[in-house]
Amino acid sequence: VPLVLSELTALEELYFYDYNFKTADFTPLTYLKNLKVLKLYDCKLSHIPSLLGALTTLEELNLRNNNLEEADF
């Protein structure tokens, strides 16, 4: 995840489509304290990163069309 996203603290919705997250660092997302919607369509995810559990304002998480095998939380 691009580090610059951590500066967008008022962001409420974030969509990624066809992005390769196989080895992504999701740490920048933990700075998005107002994030309500996160959609990761077709992003080649094989597991749900535990850091997503830190997104306490998240109301919708859409992981459609990924290769999910496990969740870390």
Side-chain angles (χ1 to χ4, degrees):
V1 174
L3 184 58
V4 69
L5 286 178
S6 64
E7 298 174 16
L8 304 174
T9 56
L11 193 68
E12 292 186 4
E13 296 186 12
L14 180 60
Y15 303 169
F16 283 97
Y17 176 75
D18 197 25
Y19 197 87
N20 188 354
F21 278 125
K22 283 185 179 179
T23 59
D25 178 10
F26 285 86
T27 304
L29 296 183
T30 62
Y31 293 94
L32 305 179
K33 301 299 182 188
N34 295 305
L35 192 65
K36 294 179 181 176
V37 178
L38 178 59
K39 296 182 180 183
L40 303 172
Y41 296 134
D42 197 22
C43 290
K44 297 159 189 66
L45 289 171
S46 60
H47 70 283
I48 302 171
S50 60
L51 283 176
L52 295 184
L55 302 175
T56 57
T57 58
L58 199 62
E59 297 173 2
E60 180 183 343
L61 174 62
N62 193 316
L63 301 170
R64 187 171 60 191
N65 292 338
N66 284 285
N67 299 319
L68 296 175
E69 298 172 7
E70 62 184 60
D72 290 343
F73 63 96

